[in-house]
Amino acid sequence: KIDLTLLPMYRTHDTDNLHPNLALTLQLKENYLRDIPAAKHIILTHPECPEVPNGIWNDVLASNYVNLDRVFSGHYSLDGDPGDIKRIGDFEVISGGSKPDKHIRDKGDWGGAWDTYSEAVAFAYPHREPELRSYGKYINGLFSSLPTAPSRVINYDCAVRTRLAHGNRYLLTEVAKFNDLYTLHFIAPGLGGSTPRATSKTPRSGGRSNDICRRFNEGKCSADPCRYRHRCFSCG
């Protein structure tokens, strides 16, 4: 067996400085990871087990990233559970398609998949239910603010949840910790779809421009007066 006392990360393992919800999440995650097949067996035989694709439970229990396209596809699948994992003795056999056959394209698609996914996560991690609900409202607000660019919101959500899966020190509701992702998907020009035009060049006419000031959105514009409009890219 591994001598835990020799592991440097074990000697410095301290959850006292973590948010209580993060500490509880790590405690449950550690317990699930000891035997995910056994934990999944208990969940799938529970009378109140959420109606989600069986194939996502391993990732839900391990707090891994879950592609909501898989949840969305599973809801409309006519071929059983895509990507379902069946255990035969010491082996796991993956059945069904490896790629989702349907993809989330707008607010309605995302909201339905998110509700289903959230139900699964809250079943395994009940204390996260308020966090999931609050984050869902936040993303739906972004969809409403950017009705012509749903792909940006979808990609931003994927990026946020990927970072969450890669680290153990984030809550979905701590949006300030994802400011760089927000900038990448909503402010940086030319990324992720159409955005209001922005420029730092001087208008050829020498007068005022209707373009939005990129440097203003980056917090760097010192021009007084500025030739470009000082408006937020996201909300105007």
Side-chain angles (χ1 to χ4, degrees):
K1 296 181 179 180
I2 295 178
D3 186 346
L4 298 178
T5 62
L6 295 179
L7 299 179
M9 74 289 296
Y10 182 81
R11 293 199 302 268
T12 59
H13 182 66
D14 183 11
T15 59
D16 292 343
N17 295 324
L18 286 180
H19 188 285
N21 278 11
L22 283 174
L24 182 53
T25 295
L26 290 179
Q27 183 181 19
L28 290 173
K29 178 179 177 180
E30 193 276 336
N31 190 49
Y32 288 136
L33 287 174
R34 293 183 182 212
D35 195 340
I36 283 186
K40 181 179 175 181
H41 173 80
I42 294 172
I43 287 175
L44 291 180
T45 55
H46 194 283
E48 298 180 6
C49 175
E51 297 180 12
V52 300
N54 290 348
I56 75 168
W57 276 113
N58 287 31
D59 289 329
V60 168
L61 294 175
S63 288
N64 291 335
Y65 170 80
V66 173
N67 184 350
L68 292 185
D69 285 342
R70 293 176 61 192
V71 180
F72 185 59
S73 296
H75 183 72
Y76 295 101
S77 175
L78 299 177
D79 301 317
D81 190 356
D84 185 24
I85 300 177
K86 302 182 185 300
R87 192 173 183 85
I88 303 176
D90 294 331
F91 300 95
E92 288 186 341
V93 179
I94 302 178
S95 63
S98 58
K99 294 183 179 180
D101 56 1
K102 291 185 179 296
H103 300 278
I104 294 172
R105 301 186 183 279
D106 54 33
K107 177 181 179 180
D109 294 346
W110 186 90
W114 176 256
D115 288 344
T116 301
Y117 164 75
S118 297
E119 188 178 3
V121 175
F123 193 74
Y125 298 89
H127 63 284
R128 294 195 61 193
E129 194 275 334
E131 174 194 357
L132 296 164
R133 184 174 62 252
S134 178
Y135 179 75
K137 291 181 179 179
Y138 168 64
I139 295 297
N140 276 315
L142 292 179
F143 275 116
S144 298
S145 299
L146 298 165
T148 61
S151 62
R152 288 200 167 210
V153 182
I154 293 169
N155 291 337
Y156 170 72
D157 163 62
C158 291
V160 168
R161 291 188 295 107
T162 296
R163 176 169 294 180
L164 205 77
H166 290 170
N168 292 322
R169 306 186 68 88
Y170 301 103
L171 293 171
L172 286 171
T173 49
E174 295 178 313
V175 294
K177 293 184 177 180
F178 311 124
N179 281 344
D180 59 321
L181 300 178
Y182 187 93
T183 299
L184 177 66
H185 291 281
F186 297 119
I187 297 178
L191 296 175
S194 59
T195 53
R197 290 188 304 160
T199 180
S200 59
K201 297 180 180 179
T202 303
R204 294 179 180 178
S205 63
R208 298 281 294 177
S209 170
N210 288 327
D211 291 340
I212 293 177
C213 179
R214 174 175 59 82
R215 293 185 62 81
F216 169 76
N217 276 268
E218 295 173 352
K220 299 178 180 178
C221 185
S222 57
D224 184 21
C226 181
R227 296 180 184 273
Y228 303 96
R229 293 191 301 153
H230 281 198
R231 297 287 186 271
C232 174
F233 277 134
S234 298
C235 65

